[in-house]
Amino acid sequence: MSLIYRFEIYPDIHHLEGSATREKSLKDWIAQYENREIKNIWEIKYFQIEAEQPIANILTIAREVFTDSVVEVMISSLELEQSSQIDLWLEKKNFQKPCLIDISFRPGVTDNSALASLEALHCIPELKTISMKVSSGMMIYIESTHPMISLQLEGLAYEKFANKLLHKVTITTHSELSHKKRLQNLTFPAVSIIAEKAKVINLDVEISQLEKMNNDNCWALSLDEIQFIQSYYKKLSRSPTDVEMEVIAQSWSEHCKHKIFSSEITYSESQLPPGVKSIGEFTVKGIFKNFIRGATLKIQEERKIPWLISIFHDNAGIVRFDDVLDICIKVETHNSPSALDPYGGALTGILGVNRDILGVGLGAKPIANTNVFCLAENQYFEENKISIPLLLKNPDRIKEGVHLGVQDGGNKSGIPTVNGAFVFDRDFVGKPLVFCGTVGVIPQVENGKVTHEKGQRPGDLIVMAGGRIGKDGIHGATFSSMELVDGVPTSVVQIGDPITQKRLGDFLIEARTLGLFNSVTDNGAGGLSSSVGEMSQLTNGAHVDLEKALIKYPGLSPFELMVSESQERMTFSVAPKKIKLFLDLAHKRSVEASVIGEFNNSGFLSIFYEGESVGNIDLHFLHESLLPMKLKSHFDPTHMAPHWIKQTIKKPRLPLKAQKFDLEKILLELFRSPNIRSHENYIRRYDHEVKAATIVKPFTGTKEVGFSAPSDAGVIWMKPHGGGADNSIAIACGLCPKVSKFDTYLMAEYAVDEAVRNAICVGANPDEMVLVDNYCWPDPISSARNPDAEYKLAQLVRASKALYDISLDYGMPFVSGKDSMKNDFIGINEFQETIKISVPPTLLVTALGRVPSISMIRTSEIKKESELLYLIGENLIQFQSAFELGELYEDYQVQYPLPQLNPKSQIEIYRKIHLALKDKLIESSHDISDGGLLLALAEKMMGTTLGIKISIDLPEKEWINFLFNESAGRILVTVNPKNQKAFEQILHGAPLMLLGETTSSGHLVVKSNRVEILNVSGVVCMKNYKCQVGEI
Amino acid sequence: MNRSNIKVLVLTGDGINCEEETANAFREHGVQPRIIHIQDLIEKPTLLTEAHILALPGGFSFGDEIGSGQILALKLKYSLGEALTTFIKDGKLIIGICNGFQALVRLGLLPKPFTQREMTLTHNRQGHFINRWVDLTIPQSKCVWTNTLYGLTINLPIRHGEGKIVFAGDKASQDKIYESLLEQGQIALTYKEDINGSSFKIAGVSDPSGRILGLMPHPEAATSEWLNPSGGEKSGQIGIGSKIFESGIQFCETNF
C-alpha cells in the first residue's frame, strides 16, 4: 500500500500581494474572452509524493525543497489542522465564496516540475535511495461576481489554464470546499496500460477493409501505397507485422518522405491576369530534385563555390563562412501539434529543430534560434462578428501558447532567439504556422576527422540517449500529414523537457570532442523507426532489441516503442570499444542512455522484442521502392474555391483632410495594423543575447526611445564561439503570404528578396549567402473534399519555379528546406455547415550570409542630423500595390499588374550596396517592406530623437502610390554628405533617388511642391507602433 | 599575486547557460578560467580549494523548476557544502550572475553567509521574463567587484523572469533588513528606474565582506561595445561589463 503526501505552497501572510499583476492580467483575460467579471483569483502550486513506505522527516525535507522560506509557507496533508490557515489567507485576499479548480497532469504526460522535484529530493542524503514518485499541479481559487456552476468553471479551466489532451481538471464549488477533506482524499496520476504483443496484419482483404485499417491505425497511406505493400508481401509469401506496417507508414509519410515534392507534376496555365508571368507548360519530375536541389547544384557548379560543405542529405545544411568553424542551419515547422497544444507544440518545435543541429554531421552546437509565427487574431473575428468554427481554439490563446513555448524552449536551452516575425491573416485560424529555425557551429576538423561526415560502421552499437519512451507522440509524423479533424488520439501531443535536452546537448558536444561516437542523428518524426531506419542506410542494416530501450512506464507495445516520438532523444552509433566511456560520461552528465542494438550490413532493419522477431524489413524496399506519384496542376485563378467566410467585411474609406489624403492618419493606422505594429512585449520575453554574441538584436535605436525600433536581421559574432574575431553572420527572414492570392510566383520572389534584402541591410555579402526554404501549403492533392487542388498544386509549382529562377539569378544556393503540405482545417461553422479553412500558401525564406567584417555592420535607425537620405529602388508610381492599405480601406484595391522584380539587375544593386557598406559610405540602412516607403522612413526616424525631411514633388493622385506601394528590392540608406560623391559613384547604374535629409527636429516632414503634406513626430509614430506593447 | 596565476572556476551543467561568455570575460583580462561541470567538481572538491574565484553563471539550472536556482542550491549545499564553506572562510571571491545570484541567495550565502535567510529573488512584478538593457547606478559599497565603478551609471542587459528582490517579514522588518544592508555597504548595484518591482530597486548585493557578489544584470554580455544595443554606439572598445571582472581580478592580485 503506497502513501501519498501533498504539499501546497502558499505565500506567507506578508507577501500575499506578490502575485497581484498576474491576478489582474488573469481577470482582464477572463473579462475580455469569457465576458465574465472575476472578483478574485489566486493560483497556488502543489506537489505530491507517492512512496511505498512512510518517509522519515518528510515535512522538514519538503519544506526545504518546495518552499522559499523567506516568502512562502507550506500546507501539507500531514498537518491537517493547519489547513484552516488557508481560509484566513483567502479572507485576507477578499474571497468570500471561493471555488477551487485543480489542474493536474493526465497519467503519462511529461511533468517537468515533478521530474525536477524528484531530482531535488534525491539531493537530500537520506532520500538518495528511496524510491518515490512526484507529481505537480496547480490550484486556482476563484470567485466571480455572478456565481459559476461546475460546468462553467470547467469550461473556463480548459479555455485558459488547461488542455483536455494533457490535463485533468477537478472542480470543487464553494459549498463542497473543505480543505481538510480534500487533503485527506488524494489520488496520484498513474499509467495503467497493458502491452499488446506484436501481431501479423492480414492485408489480403477487400479494398474497403484496407481503407478501414488505414484509418483505424492512423497509417495515413494512400490506397495505391497500401496495395503496393500488399503485393510486396504477397511476393514474400507472408503478411507484414504491425511493427513493419508502422515503420513503413512512418517512413512513407508525407512528413518524412516528401511525396508531393518528389512527385511528377504536369503544369499548365490559363487566364493569367495582367503582369502575371507565364511559365509555360511542362512536366516536372520532382519539385525538390529539379527546382530546389537542381538550382543549388547548378549554382555550385557555375560559381565554383567552395563553401557548400553538406547540403540536403543531413539533418541541416552546412556551409563554410568562417576559417575555423562550419555553420549549419535548419528551419522546421510544427503546425499541427501547435494547433492541438500551442505551448507543447511550439516548445517541441524549437527543441526539435535544435536537435536537428545537434544531429548534423558529428553534432553541431546550436548558437541561435529564429522563429516565425503565422497566426490569426481574435479581435478580427470579434470586430467583424464572425464565429470561429467549433473545435478551434481562440487564436489569441494559440498566440499566447506558441509564444510561451518558443520562449521556454529557447531561453531554457541557452540559445538566443535573434530573428523572426509575426504574420497575421484570418485564414491562419484553422492552423497556425509555427516556424522554428536554428543555426549551429561545429569545428571543421576535430580529433583529426572532418566533422560534417557521419561515420557509422557495421558493428557499431546503437545507443538511444536522452528522454525515455512513452506513448506521447505516437503517430506524430503520419498525423501531421493529415487534416485536423475531431477525434484525434491524445497520444499525438508531446510536451518538451528543456532541461533533459540541455543536458543531452551538452553531453553530445562533450562526447564529440572526446571522440566517443561515430555518428548521431535525432529522433524526430517517426521516432526510432526514422532515426535507426535512416542511419542503417549507410551501413546497410541494423538489429534492434526494443525491450532494451528505456521507457517512461511499462505497457508499451513493440510498435509503440518503435514509432513513439517521445522527445529529447538522439540515436548514436558507438564503437564497441568506446561504449564504456560513452555510457560512463552519459551517467556523469545525468543523461540516460541504453544500447538498443547494433548496425550491420545485412540489408535489413531487423527488429526484435524480448528475443522474438517482430519485424524484418528490406531497407531497399523501405527507402527506395516507392514510385513517385503523378499529379496534375493547372493555374487558373478563376478556379479558386469560395472562401469560408461569406460575409463582406466592413472597412472605412481612405481618410481625407481638407479634401486631400490625410497622410498622418493613414500612416498611424498602418503603424497600428497587425502586420506592422510592434510585438516588442512578446519579443523581449525571448532571450536574444545569451552567449554574448548577438551584435544586431531584434530591436535597435537609441536609449532615449528605449531601443525599440525594428532591426532588419540578426547578426551573430563568430568570435565568442571560437570563430574569426572579425567575422559574423547575418540571419534574416522573408515571407509574404498576402501576395499568394495574386500570384505565388511573385510571392516566392518577394519572400526570397525580402530575406536577402534584410541580410544585405545589416552588411551581409550577397556573394556569400545561402537560403533555406520552408513551404506551408494547403492540401494540393485532389479529393472530394478538395475541389481546387489542381490550382493549389499549380500555385506550388509556380512558387517553386520562382525559387529556382531567382536563386540562379542571385547565385544563392538553397542548403536546407522543409515542406508541410496539409495545412487545412475541416470543421463545422455556426450554421452547421461543413467548412474548410486553408492557410494562404506560405513560403518562409531564411537567408544566412557572411558579414566579412564587424566594422561594416549597420543598423536601421538614422544616426546623425544633416545626413543624406536615399531611396535605392524604383518609385513605383505607376502601380497600385499598397497591400496593407488594401487591408485597411474599402476604397483601395491592389491591382494587377504588380511591381515585378528583375533579379538579374537586383543582385547587382545588392553588390553595389555591399561595396558601399564595405567602404563605410552608408550610416544606416533599412529595407522597405510592409506598409511601403513612408512607413520605412518613419521607422528609421522613430528609433532616435532625430527627424527626417523629404520632398516628393508629385501630384496628389500619385502620393498614395509613391508613399505606400509595396514591392521588393528597395532599401533606404543615409549617407554622410562628405561621402556623397563616393557613394553615388559606387551606386552608379542603380535606381537611386535623393529623397531628403535627416534633421534634429524629431519629426518626419514631407513636402510636395514646397507644400507640407505631412508633419508627424517620431514620438507619435512610436506610440502608435507600440500601441499594444504596454509595459515591457 | 600575478594575474596569470589567478585560478577561476566557472560552473556549468544541469542547465547553466552562460559559462562560455563568463569564462571569456575573465580570459580577456589575462586569467585562466576553467569551465567545470558541477558533477566533476563534486568528484574533485580540491579544485575549489586551489581556486581564487568561483563564478556561478546565468542560465536555467534544472529548468528553473520549483524556484529559480533552488535545485542548484540544494545540490551545492548537500554535495559541496563543506568545500564552499571553507572557500568563503578563506576569503575567496564568488560572483553569481542572474541564475547564479538566485542560487547564492537560495543557498543562504547572500546577503549574509551562514545566517538565517531573509532575502529572496522572486517573479518580476510583470510576471514574465524580460530581456532589455537598463541603466544601473553603482553606489559606494564594500563590494570588491564594483569598486572601479563607484558613482557611475552603467547600461547592462537584464535577462530574467525572477529578479525581484523581496525581504522577509512585514514592512517594518523588510525596511530594517534593507537599512542593515545599506549600512553594511552591501548594496552593489541598483536599477536607475523600477524595472521589475525589486525592493528598493536593488539589482545586486554583496556579502558584508564585499567578496561575494550576486547580480541580476549580465556584465559578461557587455564586454565589448559591439554588443551594445544601439546601432550608433557600437565600436571596438571594451564594454562596461568588463570592469566588474577586472575589479575582481585586481582584488585577487592585491590580496592573494
Side-chain angles (χ1 to χ4, degrees):
Chain A
M1 177 68 189
S2 63
L3 279 160
I4 304 171
Y5 302 105
R6 182 176 171 109
F7 307 101
E8 299 176 355
I9 316 302
Y10 292 81
D12 74 17
I13 192 86
H14 307 299
H15 297 92
L16 287 173
E17 296 310 313
S19 47
T21 314
R22 166 77 180 161
E23 284 152 28
K24 181 173 183 310
S25 87
L26 286 175
K27 283 184 201 172
D28 291 348
W29 196 98
I30 296 167
Q32 187 186 346
Y33 294 110
E34 299 282 293
N35 212 1
R36 190 176 285 283
E37 196 187 327
I38 298 295
K39 264 161 69 182
N40 289 300
I41 189 161
W42 196 23
E43 290 173 312
I44 297 297
K45 193 148 178 70
Y46 69 86
F47 299 89
Q48 296 193 148
I49 298 179
E50 188 187 47
E52 297 295 319
Q53 294 146 14
I55 302 172
N57 229 358
I58 185 68
L59 262 181
T60 320
I61 293 171
R63 203 159 270 135
E64 176 172 21
V65 170
F66 294 128
T67 70
D68 180 338
S69 62
V70 178
V71 288
E72 289 171 344
V73 288
M74 188 176 87
I75 296 290
S76 82
S77 55
L78 290 163
E79 302 167 302
L80 290 177
E81 66 287 0
Q82 300 273 353
S83 64
S84 56
Q85 285 268 346
I86 301 172
D87 288 319
L88 183 77
W89 294 323
L90 284 166
E91 210 173 290
K92 278 249 175 208
K93 284 188 77 86
N94 297 319
F95 280 94
Q96 279 154 356
K97 291 183 170 177
C99 300
L100 180 61
I101 302 172
D102 183 303
I103 298 169
S104 58
F105 285 98
R106 289 166 68 122
V109 173
T110 305
D111 178 352
N112 289 327
S113 262
L115 292 173
S117 304
L118 194 59
E119 267 202 86
L121 290 165
H122 280 145
C123 287
I124 314 290
E126 59 254 54
L127 295 193
K128 276 209 158 69
T129 53
I130 292 187
S131 141
M132 57 194 157
K133 287 181 187 153
V134 181
S135 72
S136 78
M138 175 75 81
M139 299 190 297
I140 299 155
Y141 291 104
I142 185 165
E143 181 172 14
S144 75
T145 314
H146 303 286
M148 291 168 80
I149 57 165
S150 276
L151 216 58
Q152 291 168 322
L153 288 163
E154 192 180 294
L156 172 66
Y158 283 123
E159 195 56 37
K160 175 64 182 166
F161 301 95
N163 183 329
K164 279 201 167 119
L165 303 176
L166 308 170
H167 301 109
K168 182 179 149 196
V169 168
T170 314
I171 305 293
T172 314
T173 55
H174 178 66
S175 55
E176 301 157 340
L177 186 61
S178 150
H179 300 298
K180 215 169 185 171
K181 217 159 89 191
R182 61 178 187 77
L183 285 167
Q184 281 171 316
N185 297 312
L186 301 175
T187 54
F188 198 90
V191 179
S192 65
I193 45 170
I194 295 166
E196 283 177 35
K197 285 199 135 192
K199 53 180 187 274
V200 167
I201 305 278
N202 180 13
L203 292 181
D204 203 9
V205 292
E206 296 286 310
I207 288 183
S208 61
Q209 189 60 28
L210 284 178
E211 281 178 328
K212 186 174 181 303
M213 284 156 69
N214 189 29
N215 271 333
D216 293 349
N217 292 304
C218 277
W219 291 333
L221 293 162
S222 71
L223 185 59
D224 283 351
E225 288 161 354
I226 302 189
Q227 288 176 323
F228 182 68
I229 299 169
Q230 186 186 39
S231 64
Y232 172 77
Y233 276 94
K234 223 174 213 154
K235 267 187 268 163
L236 295 182
S237 313
R238 70 170 175 99
S239 290
T241 65
D242 58 347
V243 176
E244 289 174 326
M245 281 306 293
E246 290 287 343
V247 171
I248 295 167
Q250 296 296 327
S251 303
W252 292 3
S253 67
E254 179 55 46
H255 189 90
C256 293
K257 195 84 184 169
H258 307 287
K259 290 182 284 200
I260 294 170
F261 268 59
S262 334
S263 63
E264 185 177 312
I265 306 174
T266 59
Y267 171 86
S268 58
E269 57 193 22
S270 58
Q271 313 248 16
L272 295 182
V276 170
K277 192 170 175 175
S278 166
I279 57 170
E281 297 200 352
F282 55 86
T283 299
V284 54
K285 292 187 173 178
I287 285 180
F288 170 70
K289 191 175 144 204
N290 287 281
F291 288 150
I292 311 289
R293 193 172 63 191
T296 294
L297 296 179
K298 207 164 164 192
I299 293 164
Q300 191 174 19
E301 197 184 303
E302 279 175 6
R303 290 188 54 203
K304 309 235 175 314
I305 298 172
W307 37 257
L308 286 177
I309 302 303
S310 170
I311 41 173
F312 296 122
H313 67 271
D314 204 339
N315 289 318
I318 309 181
V319 295
R320 188 156 293 171
F321 285 163
D322 190 81
D323 292 339
V324 188
L325 302 170
D326 278 343
I327 293 158
C328 37
I329 183 163
K330 172 71 173 265
V331 183
E332 269 283 7
T333 49
H334 229 210
N335 309 336
S336 301
S338 301
L340 290 178
D341 172 23
Y343 174 75
L347 175 60
T348 51
I350 196 84
L351 295 181
V353 73
N354 290 163
R355 282 198 308 282
D356 277 323
I357 294 301
L358 288 166
V360 71
L362 288 182
K365 182 168 154 186
I367 59 162
N369 284 335
T370 66
N371 83 280
V372 173
F373 293 136
C374 295
L375 305 168
E377 282 194 301
N378 195 55
Q379 195 185 344
Y380 177 87
F381 297 95
E382 211 159 76
E383 280 174 5
N384 294 300
K385 304 203 166 44
I386 299 166
S387 304
I388 294 171
L390 298 169
L391 296 174
L392 282 183
K393 288 196 164 50
N394 179 328
D396 287 3
R397 178 92 199 277
I398 293 189
K399 181 168 149 193
E400 286 171 20
V402 294
H403 170 260
L404 192 61
V406 165
Q407 176 190 323
D408 275 0
N411 293 3
K412 293 189 174 182
S413 306
I415 304 168
T417 302
V418 300
N419 184 248
F422 282 86
V423 175
F424 294 96
D425 188 300
R426 60 186 187 175
D427 289 341
F428 292 123
V429 74
K431 253 200 198 179
L433 304 185
V434 174
F435 298 89
C436 299
T438 303
V439 175
V441 292
I442 186 168
Q444 291 167 11
V445 178
E446 195 170 66
N447 300 316
K449 279 196 286 194
V450 292
T451 52
H452 62 267
E453 282 170 7
K454 294 195 187 299
Q456 61 268 43
R457 288 181 291 241
D460 276 4
L461 300 171
I462 305 172
V463 184
M464 185 186 95
R468 289 171 166 245
I469 300 182
K471 262 191 187 277
D472 28 1
I474 287 174
H475 291 138
T478 46
F479 166 68
S480 72
S481 308
M482 293 161 80
E483 299 142 342
L484 188 54
V485 285
D486 197 9
V488 169
T490 59
S491 62
V492 299
V493 182
Q494 319 134 15
I495 292 196
D497 173 8
I499 180 68
T500 296
Q501 174 141 333
K502 170 75 176 147
R503 283 174 170 154
L504 175 63
D506 288 353
F507 159 72
L508 183 150
I509 301 298
E510 193 176 357
R512 187 204 71 203
T513 314
L514 296 168
L516 298 185
F517 59 87
N518 292 333
S519 182
V520 61
T521 200
D522 83 303
N523 279 262
L528 286 176
S529 79
S530 296
S531 67
V532 178
E534 281 164 28
M535 284 174 91
S536 62
Q537 276 183 281
L538 197 69
T539 62
N540 197 29
H543 171 115
V544 178
D545 296 311
L546 284 174
E547 77 282 359
K548 291 184 180 161
L550 292 170
I551 49 175
K552 292 185 180 178
Y553 36 78
L556 295 167
S557 308
F559 90 85
E560 293 178 312
L561 293 168
M562 198 63 193
V563 301
S564 159
E565 292 179 10
S566 290
Q567 297 289 297
E568 293 88 34
R569 289 181 297 146
M570 307 219 37
T571 299
F572 293 82
S573 171
V574 182
K577 64 174 184 210
K578 301 242 168 109
I579 191 70
K580 187 171 179 309
L581 289 172
F582 183 93
L583 294 177
D584 284 352
L585 183 66
H587 180 70
K588 242 167 101 167
R589 299 295 176 246
S590 307
V591 172
E592 294 193 303
S594 57
V595 177
I596 59 163
E598 188 182 305
F599 289 107
N600 57 36
N601 53 9
S602 65
F604 283 82
L605 175 57
S606 311
I607 309 160
F608 290 79
Y609 184 75
E610 293 179 342
E612 253 174 70
S613 168
V614 292
N616 197 27
I617 310 172
D618 185 332
L619 285 171
H620 179 78
F621 167 73
L622 189 61
H623 294 295
E624 318 283 342
S625 69
L626 192 62
L627 292 172
M629 292 188 285
K630 288 190 177 171
L631 302 171
K632 194 172 153 227
S633 74
H634 181 70
F635 188 73
D636 176 356
T638 59
H639 267 95
M640 267 190 256
H643 197 267
W644 67 280
I645 297 174
K646 303 285 186 296
Q647 74 199 75
T648 39
I649 306 297
K650 273 205 175 138
K651 296 179 203 169
R653 296 179 69 82
L654 276 162
L656 299 175
K657 191 174 161 188
Q659 274 107 52
K660 289 204 160 51
F661 291 121
D662 187 341
L663 296 176
E664 176 171 344
K665 217 168 174 182
I666 298 173
L667 176 68
L668 299 181
E669 191 71 34
L670 277 174
F671 264 127
R672 290 193 300 270
S673 63
N675 285 326
I676 293 171
R677 69 170 175 246
S678 176
H679 303 283
E680 189 173 345
N681 49 330
Y682 286 93
I683 293 163
R684 288 211 183 271
R685 295 187 204 179
Y686 304 143
D687 189 331
H688 52 251
E689 49 196 338
V690 55
K691 293 186 190 293
T694 313
I695 295 183
V696 179
K697 308 173 206 285
F699 293 97
T700 182
T702 61
K703 188 159 82 181
E704 293 75 19
V705 290
F707 312 115
S708 283
S711 289
D712 291 317
V715 179
I716 306 286
W717 195 2
M718 287 295 106
K719 182 184 162 196
H721 299 296
D726 194 30
N727 195 25
S728 61
I729 51 164
I731 305 150
C733 67
L735 73 164
C736 328
K738 65 187 177 188
V739 182
S740 291
K741 62 176 180 246
F742 297 96
D743 176 18
T744 50
Y745 186 96
L746 195 65
M747 177 277 284
E749 277 191 322
Y750 278 15
V752 170
D753 184 72
E754 188 184 16
V756 170
R757 188 165 84 232
N758 278 319
I760 295 291
C761 282
V762 293
N765 179 359
D767 291 316
E768 288 178 292
M769 200 179 293
V770 294
L771 307 172
V772 177
D773 61 282
N774 283 83
Y775 290 80
C776 284
W777 231 252
D779 187 2
I781 304 287
S782 289
S783 71
R785 296 202 287 199
N786 198 16
D788 58 345
E790 284 191 8
Y791 172 68
K792 287 182 279 196
L793 189 61
Q795 286 185 305
L796 181 72
V797 174
R798 287 184 67 81
S800 307
K801 179 68 168 66
L803 285 191
Y804 178 79
D805 291 343
I806 195 170
S807 73
L808 284 183
D809 285 338
Y810 278 12
M812 294 176 193
F814 288 94
V815 294
S816 178
K818 205 73 194 259
D819 54 278
S820 159
M821 302 303 294
K822 309 262 168 167
N823 294 292
D824 311 271
F825 167 82
I826 293 174
I828 308 280
N829 69 5
E830 58 186 317
F831 311 112
Q832 297 303 310
E833 300 159 330
T834 300
I835 50 149
K836 177 167 171 177
I837 309 176
S838 298
V839 301
T842 302
L843 175 69
L844 170 70
V845 175
T846 309
L848 172 80
R850 177 183 197 163
V851 185
S853 168
I854 47 174
S855 60
M856 63 182 289
I857 294 169
R858 288 295 175 269
T859 53
S860 64
E861 80 277 24
I862 56 178
K863 302 295 185 307
K864 281 194 189 119
E865 62 183 287
S866 305
E867 292 189 333
L868 306 172
L869 184 77
Y870 287 91
L871 163 66
I872 306 173
E874 304 293 341
N875 66 18
L876 304 179
I877 50 174
Q878 70 276 34
F879 295 102
Q880 200 160 317
S881 65
F883 293 94
E884 292 299 329
L885 285 200
E887 294 293 316
L888 292 176
Y889 302 111
E890 178 198 69
D891 50 342
Y892 185 91
Q893 263 92 38
V894 172
Q895 282 183 4
Y896 294 107
L898 296 167
Q900 300 288 317
L901 185 72
N902 182 342
K904 284 198 173 68
S905 55
Q906 189 63 41
I907 188 67
E908 290 307 326
I909 299 171
Y910 290 150
R911 290 194 174 112
K912 287 172 188 181
I913 295 174
H914 187 66
L915 278 182
L917 280 165
K918 224 173 190 167
D919 289 352
K920 318 264 158 61
L921 301 175
I922 292 175
E923 308 303 322
S924 72
S925 49
H926 185 36
D927 96 302
I928 304 177
S929 68
D930 298 321
L933 174 75
L934 190 65
L935 195 106
L937 280 168
E939 284 180 339
K940 273 184 88 63
M941 168 189 69
M942 71 191 185
T944 72
T945 49
L946 300 169
I948 284 176
K949 63 175 181 195
I950 67 165
S951 297
I952 63 173
D953 299 340
L954 290 169
E956 193 204 345
K957 64 181 172 50
E958 286 173 4
W959 291 357
I960 296 287
N961 292 348
F962 179 69
L963 295 173
F964 300 108
N965 270 353
E966 299 174 26
S967 72
R970 303 196 307 160
I971 290 176
L972 287 169
V973 300
T974 53
V975 173
N976 188 311
K978 73 175 196 284
N979 295 322
Q980 179 173 16
K981 218 175 134 198
F983 170 77
E984 288 183 0
Q985 243 165 24
I986 286 189
L987 267 286
H988 181 75
L992 190 67
M993 188 175 173
L994 181 57
L995 290 173
E997 61 179 29
T998 59
T999 66
S1000 61
S1001 73
H1003 282 243
L1004 171 60
V1005 179
V1006 181
K1007 283 185 181 173
S1008 181
N1009 300 313
R1010 291 197 208 112
V1011 179
E1012 195 173 280
I1013 59 171
L1014 172 71
N1015 185 336
V1016 61
S1017 79
V1019 174
V1020 168
C1021 291
M1022 188 60 102
K1023 198 176 140 206
N1024 283 273
Y1025 173 63
K1026 291 175 74 165
C1027 60
Q1028 292 202 1
V1029 169
E1031 191 194 26
I1032 297 293
Chain B
M1 76 191 295
N2 192 308
R3 65 173 58 197
S4 60
N5 295 326
I6 296 172
K7 287 189 180 149
V8 182
L9 286 182
V10 179
L11 210 59
T12 190
D14 293 327
I16 290 174
N17 290 331
C18 302
E19 69 281 7
E20 295 280 354
E21 58 263 42
T22 305
N24 284 344
F26 281 106
R27 194 173 295 121
E28 279 168 12
H29 294 288
V31 297
Q32 288 310 316
R34 171 168 174 187
I35 296 174
I36 182 131
H37 196 281
I38 301 165
Q39 204 57 43
D40 293 344
L41 191 58
I42 290 172
E43 280 182 18
K44 209 176 165 193
T46 49
L47 288 174
L48 204 53
T49 327
E50 293 157 17
H52 307 97
I53 296 177
L54 172 67
L56 275 62
F60 280 80
S61 58
F62 298 87
D64 261 8
E65 301 292 347
I66 309 185
S68 51
Q70 168 77 347
I71 307 180
L72 177 60
L74 285 171
K75 192 161 179 174
L76 291 174
K77 175 180 165 185
Y78 285 104
S79 310
L80 278 168
E82 243 172 82
L84 267 176
T85 306
T86 316
F87 188 81
I88 293 163
K89 293 208 161 135
D90 287 349
K92 307 279 188 66
L93 270 57
I94 302 182
I95 184 167
I97 303 167
C98 200
N99 197 241
F101 181 21
Q102 291 160 341
L104 289 176
V105 167
R106 297 274 183 154
L107 256 171
L109 295 182
L110 282 176
K112 279 181 195 134
F114 320 120
T115 60
Q116 164 115 26
R117 277 190 61 203
E118 46 188 25
M119 181 187 111
T120 196
L121 284 153
T122 176
H123 293 278
N124 295 344
R125 170 168 47 76
Q126 297 88 330
H128 57 74
F129 185 95
I130 305 166
N131 179 354
R132 56 182 285 214
W133 286 60
V134 298
D135 271 342
L136 297 148
T137 47
I138 316 287
Q140 185 86 34
S141 74
K142 282 217 186 99
C143 181
V144 305
W145 292 91
T146 54
N147 64 11
T148 55
L149 292 164
Y150 291 158
L152 294 181
T153 296
I154 64 172
N155 200 237
L156 291 178
I158 56 159
R159 309 193 311 248
H160 62 247
E162 297 180 42
K164 185 172 86 175
I165 286 182
V166 176
F167 297 118
D170 59 10
K171 180 80 176 62
S173 142
Q174 296 175 21
D175 287 350
K176 215 176 115 200
I177 299 166
Y178 170 68
E179 274 153 30
S180 146
L181 291 181
L182 203 58
E183 270 169 35
Q184 299 287 316
Q186 289 179 254
I187 311 284
L189 297 98
T190 55
Y191 302 110
K192 203 169 163 197
E193 283 155 19
D194 175 27
I195 296 297
N196 54 11
S198 193
S199 299
F200 306 96
K201 295 188 277 198
I202 302 171
V205 298
S206 71
D207 73 322
S209 79
R211 298 180 185 207
I212 307 176
L213 169 65
L215 73 168
M216 287 316 294
H218 287 268
E220 83 288 1
T223 51
S224 161
E225 291 202 342
W226 290 123
L227 299 172
N228 280 355
S230 177
E233 286 171 11
K234 294 186 186 295
S235 84
Q237 301 290 311
I238 286 176
I240 192 76
S242 265
K243 295 255 183 187
I244 290 187
F245 300 94
E246 174 61 22
S247 307
I249 291 165
Q250 277 178 15
F251 181 85
C252 291
E253 277 184 315
T254 329
N255 291 279
F256 297 133

